[in-house]
């Protein structure tokens, strides 16, 4: 039997918010799976992309073409055992000038191997008490009138 | 009422993105500088690994003891991590994301150990 590993996959897309700030939406998928690294990465991306597009559709009513979704992988780590649960954390990032601000959205737990069904009601993780994000945290960053600059997303590869 | 933020795990690894190609002797100097910088904060570097990327290098520094997320990000910034990445990490930390320290690797990326704690000041390979 092949070794189980923890996979960290990030799907992201970017654009502009209604207030013309650069904006991006990130989903961070964590799964403990076994199998060949290349195959698992491909399978997990195939699993995650429709879910990611559905999440954007649900939240913003936007249809994102697959070509505008960026997929990133971190180093795999050893896992004790594989699990069919995939934990997903969402962050909405806004850029004002060169500063980034993240907004936490409710997390989800998916079942790996089940095809994503947009009509299904997925578990929202009980990991945090404040499922609804409290925007007070960012009130200190009121619009500063900074010029909006292009979001350069060449960070992590 | 202000809601509680989830506590983030302490980090054992610093991840540094260097989008620049340099000579090997510069990398040895970087290793020495990284060890000295961590010591300023009473942190020992146990191992340094690196991989080549399209644009330069990734460095992974295993440290002891594990440190809080804010200090991890600060150390990464001190060690010359990509500034855009530092900023995004800062935002992710503030939003309570557990796996905030993102550094993407190609599937076939090879990590090379260039330094261990016992010979921290004398790199393992030439």
């Amino acid at each position: 039997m092949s070794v189980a590993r923890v996979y960290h996959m990030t799907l992201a897309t970017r654009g502009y918010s209604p207030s013309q700030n650069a904006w991006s939406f990130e989903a961070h998928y964590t799964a403990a799976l076994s199998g060949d690294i290349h195959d698992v990465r491909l399978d997990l991306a195939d699993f995650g992309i429709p879910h990611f597009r559905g999440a954007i559709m649900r939240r913003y009513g936007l249809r994102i073409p697959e070509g505008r979704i960026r997929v990133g992988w971190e180093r795999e780590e050893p896992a004790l055992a594989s699990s069919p649960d995939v934990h997903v954390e969402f962050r909405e990032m806004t850029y004002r000038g060169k500063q980034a601000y993240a907004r936490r959205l409710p997390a989800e737990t998916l079942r790996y191997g089940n095809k994503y069904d947009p009509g299904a009601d997925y578990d929202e993780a009980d990991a945090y008490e404040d499922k609804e994000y409290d925007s007070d945290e960012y009130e200190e960053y009121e619009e500063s009138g900074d010029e909006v600059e292009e979001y350069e997303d060449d960070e992590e590869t | 009422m202000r809601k509680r933020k989830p506590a983030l795990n302490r980090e054992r690894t610093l991840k540094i993105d260097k989008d620049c190609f340099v000579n090997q002797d510069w990398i040895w100097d970087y290793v020495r500088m990284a060890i000295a910088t961590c010591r300023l904060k009473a942190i020992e570097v146990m191992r340094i690994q690196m991989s080549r990327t399209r644009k330069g290098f990734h460095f992974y520094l295993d440290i002891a003891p594990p440190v809080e997320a804010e200090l991890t990000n600060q150390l990464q910034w001190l060690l010359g991590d990509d500034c855009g990445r530092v900023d995004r990490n800062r935002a992710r930390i503030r939003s309570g994301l557990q796996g905030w320290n993102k550094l993407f690797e190609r599937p076939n990326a090879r990590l090379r150990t260039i330094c261990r704690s016992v010979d921290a000041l004398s790199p393992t390979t030439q």
Side-chain angles (χ1 to χ4, degrees), chain A residues 132-144:
Chain A
E132 280 180 35
Y133 175 77
D134 179 7
S135 61
D136 285 358
E137 192 179 342
Y138 293 96
E139 67 192 359
E140 61 193 281
Y141 304 109
E142 283 303 307
E143 292 285 355
S144 59

Side-chain angles (χ1 to χ4, degrees), chain B residues 64-120:
Chain B
V67 294
E68 284 170 5
E70 284 284 354
L71 179 55
T72 307
N73 201 30
Q74 186 197 357
L75 281 168
Q76 290 181 175
W77 177 74
L78 286 171
L79 297 177
D81 194 11
D82 177 271
C83 288
R85 185 169 174 268
V86 171
D87 193 43
R88 275 182 282 273
N89 281 342
R90 196 176 56 97
R92 288 176 185 139
I93 291 168
R94 295 181 78 138
S95 73
L97 181 66
Q98 283 295 350
W100 60 269
N101 201 0
K102 301 280 164 197
L103 189 61
F104 300 144
E105 287 287 353
R106 289 168 297 151
N108 54 352
R110 280 176 167 265
L111 287 183
R112 193 158 60 98
T113 301
I114 55 171
C115 169
R116 287 186 191 278
S117 62
V118 283
D119 51 0

Side-chain angles (χ1 to χ4, degrees), chain B residues 22 41 43 47 49 51 62 67 80 85-86 90 102 118:
Chain B
V22 293
K41 299 278 182 186
I43 292 159
R47 183 177 64 170
Q49 292 181 298
S51 68
D62 293 341
V67 294
R85 185 169 174 268
V86 171
R90 196 176 56 97
K102 301 280 164 197
V118 283

Side-chain angles (χ1 to χ4, degrees), chain B:
Chain B
M1 194 182 79
R2 208 173 181 87
K3 289 169 184 170
R4 191 171 57 87
K5 273 201 296 182
L8 293 177
N9 294 336
R10 285 170 168 261
E11 298 287 328
R12 294 169 183 280
T13 307
L14 306 179
K15 301 175 184 177
I16 292 141
D17 181 19
K18 288 275 193 194
D19 289 337
C20 174
F21 291 100
V22 293
N23 295 340
Q24 200 66 50
D25 53 332
W26 289 30
I27 290 176
W28 302 143
D29 284 348
Y30 180 72
V31 166
R32 291 187 187 93
M33 188 275 296
I35 292 165
T37 305
C38 289
R39 281 189 182 150
L40 281 177
K41 299 278 182 186
I43 292 159
E44 275 304 309
V45 176
M46 309 309 287
R47 183 177 64 170
I48 301 180
Q49 292 181 298
M50 67 177 280
S51 68
R52 276 183 94 89
T53 68
R54 255 183 325 120
K55 290 184 264 179
F57 305 98
H58 286 171
F59 291 95
Y60 295 86
L61 284 75
D62 293 341
I63 53 168
V67 294
E68 284 170 5
E70 284 284 354
L71 179 55
T72 307
N73 201 30
Q74 186 197 357
L75 281 168
Q76 290 181 175
W77 177 74
L78 286 171
L79 297 177
D81 194 11
D82 177 271
C83 288
R85 185 169 174 268
V86 171
D87 193 43
R88 275 182 282 273
N89 281 342
R90 196 176 56 97
R92 288 176 185 139
I93 291 168
R94 295 181 78 138
S95 73
L97 181 66
Q98 283 295 350
W100 60 269
N101 201 0
K102 301 280 164 197
L103 189 61
F104 300 144
E105 287 287 353
R106 289 168 297 151
N108 54 352
R110 280 176 167 265
L111 287 183
R112 193 158 60 98
T113 301
I114 55 171
C115 169
R116 287 186 191 278
S117 62
V118 283
D119 51 0
L121 288 170
S122 57
T124 53
T125 53
Q126 289 295 321

Side-chain angles (χ1 to χ4, degrees), chain A residues 10-116:
Chain A
T10 300
L11 302 184
T13 189
R14 57 183 170 158
Y16 287 90
S17 67
S19 55
Q20 294 303 305
N21 286 320
W23 166 93
S24 71
F25 184 76
E26 300 179 346
H28 306 278
Y29 294 76
T30 308
L33 302 167
S34 54
D36 177 72
I37 290 179
H38 291 255
D39 295 342
V40 173
R41 282 188 173 198
L42 287 175
D43 288 349
L44 196 52
D46 287 345
F47 172 81
I49 288 172
H51 171 259
F52 181 72
R53 295 175 75 188
I56 292 182
M57 190 68 194
R58 279 200 312 274
R59 286 186 169 88
Y60 307 102
L62 294 173
R63 211 177 286 278
I64 301 289
E66 225 174 289
R68 285 190 54 198
I69 299 172
R70 194 164 168 267
V71 186
W73 296 94
E74 287 181 78
R75 276 198 305 179
E76 285 74 25
E77 295 161 8
L80 293 174
S82 62
S83 159
D85 289 339
V86 180
H87 184 73
V88 193
E89 288 261 1
F90 297 101
R91 289 294 181 278
E92 184 191 81
M93 309 284 279
T94 323
Y95 300 87
R96 293 183 202 155
K98 281 280 184 188
Q99 276 209 69
Y101 304 94
R103 189 164 81 99
R104 178 150 47 110
L105 300 167
E108 290 178 13
T109 303
L110 310 174
R111 202 79 174 159
Y112 186 66
N114 292 358
K115 197 172 182 308
Y116 170 67

Side-chain angles (χ1 to χ4, degrees), chain A residues 144-155:
Chain A
S144 59
D146 285 350
E147 206 173 304
V148 176
E149 292 175 44
E150 186 73 34
Y151 165 40
E152 291 168 17
D153 193 17
D154 55 352
E155 53 171 324

